[in-house]
């Protein structure tokens, strides 16, 4: 199945509207799609309706920002109920810290000479409560500090580089409690992006498994062949379901387009076969 279960719209740090993402996914042959914006559910109604019009099977999703072991980890919730009040309240609390972080990032970038970093980042943000690193990254490209988004995240806005600001998100246990309480399945997003050792990633997976986490993104837009082999092995070891995702943000920025990721290794259990998702898929064709 051509499933793409992690991407972003203009409601977080993507550039396209949910309806445009649905059309793009359908044009690229996607059969099962999920919108997973950062810490918000705002685009799901539009995405769900557009998926129906495009004949796409759809899963309501979200990506929750988590602080774990001194790093930021992202957990995708698939099959969540967007009307769940505890999840909505939790995400509101997570978002409440984003604006303060954005102002601190802007202060750091101002010291480098970046012109009006906060105001210019706001131009790129469809949701003013979700100004994030990707919005600042676009400003840095515009002002000539980097050639593209990928270069920004090699040289800025990451630990040890200019513009990085530490921030405390929610805990792993709380994020999974929100996802499970909303009827969803928890998946660790793009594990190859976390700058931690093999031993530490195994500790993360062990805690995630103990808390009821069900899957990891084996295929991700940021994973090369070596990462796919590593996380396929770990999925087998922990008994995780495997997810497939582009982590698409924008046509000119993302390494992989919607629906164009490599297939999952044949012996892994696809996350869309998890029993908890059976009743959560909308518009199955």
């Amino acid at each position: 199945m051509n499933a793409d279960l992690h991407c972003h719209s203009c409601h977080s740090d993507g550039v396209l509207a949910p309806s445009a993402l649905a059309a793009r996914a359908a044009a690229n042959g996607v059969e099962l799609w999920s919108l997973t914006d950062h810490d918000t559910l705002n685009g799901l109604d539009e995405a769900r309706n557009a998926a129906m019009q495009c004949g796409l099977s759809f899963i309501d999703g979200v990506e929750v920002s988590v602080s774990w072991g001194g790093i930021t980890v992202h957990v995708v919730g698939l099959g969540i109920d967007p009307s769940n009040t505890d999840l909505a309240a939790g995400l509101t609390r997570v978002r409440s810290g984003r604006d303060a972080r954005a102002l601190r990032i802007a202060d750091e970038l101002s010291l480098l000479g970046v012109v009006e970093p906060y105001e210019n980042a706001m131009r790129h943000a469809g949701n003013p409560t979700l100004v994030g690193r990707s919005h600042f990254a676009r400003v840095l490209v515009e002002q000539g500090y980097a050639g593209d988004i990928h270069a920004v995240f090699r040289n800025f806005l990451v630990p040890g580089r200019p513009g990085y600001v530490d921030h405390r998100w929610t805990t792993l246990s709380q994020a999974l409690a929100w996802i499970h309480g909303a009827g969803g399945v928890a998946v660790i997003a793009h594990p190859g992006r976390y700058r931690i050792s093999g031993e530490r990633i195994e500790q993360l997976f062990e805690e995630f498994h103990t808390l009821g986490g069900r899957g990891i993104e084996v295929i991700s837009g940021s994973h090369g062949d070596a990462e796919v082999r590593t996380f396929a092995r770990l999925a087998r070891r922990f008994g995780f379901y495997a997810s497939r995702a582009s982590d698409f943000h924008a046509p000119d920025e993302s390494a992989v387009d919607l629906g164009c990721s490599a297939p999952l290794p044949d012996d892994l259990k696809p996350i869309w076969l998890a029993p908890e998702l059976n009743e959560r898929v909308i518009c199955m064709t």
Side-chain angles (χ1 to χ4, degrees), residues 72-283:
T72 297
V73 171
H74 292 153
V75 177
V76 167
L78 296 174
I80 49 96
D81 175 4
S83 67
N84 182 272
T85 55
D86 288 340
L87 174 62
L91 295 177
T92 297
R93 292 200 296 274
V94 174
R95 289 195 304 274
S96 68
R98 277 187 173 270
D99 195 52
R101 184 187 72 150
L103 291 170
R104 291 165 61 203
I105 291 174
D107 287 343
E108 293 292 321
L109 294 179
S110 292
L111 296 176
L112 298 177
V114 179
V115 177
E116 297 186 335
Y118 184 77
E119 292 79 3
N120 282 307
M122 284 285 287
R123 287 192 296 105
H124 293 284
N127 184 342
T129 68
L130 280 168
V131 179
R133 293 185 307 155
S134 292
H135 304 119
F136 286 107
R138 291 168 190 142
V139 174
L140 289 169
V141 172
E142 285 177 347
Q143 297 190 20
Y145 286 85
D148 57 33
I149 295 293
H150 304 292
V152 171
F153 284 110
R154 288 193 298 270
N155 299 297
F156 301 90
L157 305 174
V158 293
R161 298 291 185 177
Y164 175 72
V165 171
D166 191 23
H167 184 75
R168 297 291 298 175
W169 305 105
T170 194
T171 64
L172 187 64
S173 60
Q174 184 62 79
L176 265 66
W178 292 335
I179 292 168
H180 294 158
V185 173
V187 177
I188 291 184
H190 43 62
R193 283 178 48 185
Y194 307 133
R195 298 183 177 186
I196 53 178
S197 68
E199 181 179 343
R200 291 277 285 149
I201 201 77
E202 291 189 18
Q203 290 174 354
L204 170 62
F205 286 175
E206 286 172 359
E207 184 175 339
F208 181 71
H209 186 270
T210 299
L211 291 169
R214 297 286 273 155
I216 59 174
E217 285 181 0
V218 173
I219 300 295
S220 168
S222 56
H223 286 178
D225 291 343
E227 287 84 4
V228 171
R229 288 192 297 270
T230 293
F231 295 113
R233 175 179 58 81
L234 290 170
R236 297 181 191 106
R237 173 181 165 185
F238 286 93
F240 287 135
Y241 285 92
S243 193
R244 177 180 187 263
S246 61
D247 193 12
F248 180 82
H249 286 73
D252 298 325
E253 296 175 5
S254 299
V256 177
D257 203 349
L258 278 164
C260 297
S261 299
L264 288 171
D266 289 339
D267 65 316
L268 297 184
K269 302 176 296 182
I271 190 67
W272 51 89
L273 297 184
E276 301 95 317
L277 289 180
N278 286 344
E279 297 180 1
R280 296 293 186 177
V281 177
I282 300 167
C283 187

Side-chain angles (χ1 to χ4, degrees), residues 13-107:
D13 57 348
V15 302
L16 300 180
S19 56
L21 286 173
R24 190 180 188 93
N28 287 350
V30 174
E31 299 164 86
L32 178 63
W33 174 54
S34 183
L35 177 65
T36 57
D37 275 323
H38 289 284
D39 305 316
T40 183
L41 308 172
N42 287 353
L44 290 178
D45 286 346
E46 180 184 342
R48 192 183 313 108
N49 292 334
M52 288 183 179
Q53 294 174 9
C54 293
L56 280 172
S57 296
F58 182 75
I59 300 176
D60 286 300
V62 69
E63 186 174 13
V64 184
S65 303
V66 167
S67 293
W68 181 88
I71 64 169
T72 297
V73 171
H74 292 153
V75 177
V76 167
L78 296 174
I80 49 96
D81 175 4
S83 67
N84 182 272
T85 55
D86 288 340
L87 174 62
L91 295 177
T92 297
R93 292 200 296 274
V94 174
R95 289 195 304 274
S96 68
R98 277 187 173 270
D99 195 52
R101 184 187 72 150
L103 291 170
R104 291 165 61 203
I105 291 174
D107 287 343

